[in-house]
Amino acid sequence: MRRINSRENPHYKALKRLSESGRERRKSGRVLLDGMHLIEAYGRHCGAPEEILLSDSGAGRPEIADYLAGLPAGSSVTLLPDALFADLALVDTPSGIMAVAPWPTPARPIDHAADSVVLDGIQDPGNVGSILRSAAAAGFRQILLSVDCAQVWSPKTLRAAMGAHFQLDIHEGCDLAGFLCAYRGCAVATALAASTTLYAASLEGSLAWVFGSEGQGVRSPALAVTRLQLRIPMPGATESLNVAAAAAICLFETVRRRQEVAGSLVEDRR
């Protein structure tokens, strides 16, 4: 186990850059995972992280001690005084454990026939993370993001997604219009002005759900090449929904429809 006691330590400075700089995360291809939930989620899907960082107080916590006991022999573990750990921490109340991990590359190339979630200029990392979490829960594995979306591997996005990143094939900086033009399923966009409602539409076959930015919605280059535009009916006085809420509604309406169809097929076979 390595110990760092000084902010002037070169390795500590590198960790600090990683915690603060999106550019550094992209350059190194690594992220900081804060807390046992994210670290364990990474381990289930991607294997052991490169390095574990512990605070003096965190090292003695039973759940952290149990995790350390299960690490492969020779794993890199670094111990830090609480004050230095807190300066690296990505949350207001430090968890006592973080990990340095390479972010996973997509397991599959972009598939123009797979169920997909397409994010067009969504700039709030909390919204991006929440959508990733809903997509993983709904079984939509392929995610495409425009170049101006929030950084998908930022600490805020990682926290909001609660480990969903590691279940998904995430493609950043995509040509969304190009993907949608070539898509062999049905590309569906949410649009406040759409005449068809979500609950009246046919949602059959592979779907690429397109969700737009908090202010503009889906922009015209992507909207123009979607096959279907839908609105979520809102009988109340609210003009619009948070994009993460809208995405969850659409994705789980898809799940409901598919389960309904599957149930009907079972009934037909009886």
Side-chain angles (χ1 to χ4, degrees), residues 32 42 47 58 82-83 115 132 135 156 160 167 173-174 189 204 223 242 251:
L32 274 178
Y42 185 92
D82 286 358
D115 283 334
L132 297 185
K156 289 183 179 178
Q167 305 171 48
C174 296
E204 297 179 353
L223 190 64
N242 171 281
L251 295 174

Side-chain angles (χ1 to χ4, degrees), residues 79-178:
L79 188 64
L80 300 157
D82 286 358
L84 266 65
F85 186 93
D87 282 349
L88 288 179
L90 309 173
V91 294
D92 293 336
T93 304
S95 62
I97 184 169
M98 289 189 287
V100 179
W103 69 48
T105 56
R108 303 166 182 82
I110 291 176
D111 182 347
H112 290 87
D115 283 334
S116 305
V117 172
V118 179
L119 305 185
D120 182 22
I122 298 177
Q123 296 176 353
D124 180 88
N127 282 337
V128 171
S130 293
I131 293 170
L132 297 185
R133 189 177 182 185
S134 293
F140 281 70
R141 177 161 183 160
Q142 180 166 268
I143 313 294
L144 290 86
L145 298 94
S146 65
V147 69
D148 53 350
C149 279
Q151 288 191 357
V152 77
W153 297 102
S154 74
K156 289 183 179 178
T157 309
L158 282 161
R159 286 201 301 275
M162 293 292 288
H165 284 72
F166 313 125
Q167 305 171 48
L168 302 169
D169 292 323
I170 298 173
H171 302 272
E172 293 186 90
C174 296
D175 171 11
L176 301 188

Side-chain angles (χ1 to χ4, degrees), residues 39-72:
I39 293 170
E40 288 179 334
Y42 185 92
R44 284 193 298 273
H45 298 283
C46 306
E50 281 186 0
E51 181 181 8
I52 299 296
L53 309 174
L54 300 173
S55 68
D56 282 337
S57 58
R61 295 174 189 168
E63 69 276 14
I64 293 177
D66 289 345
Y67 173 76
L68 294 175
L71 287 176

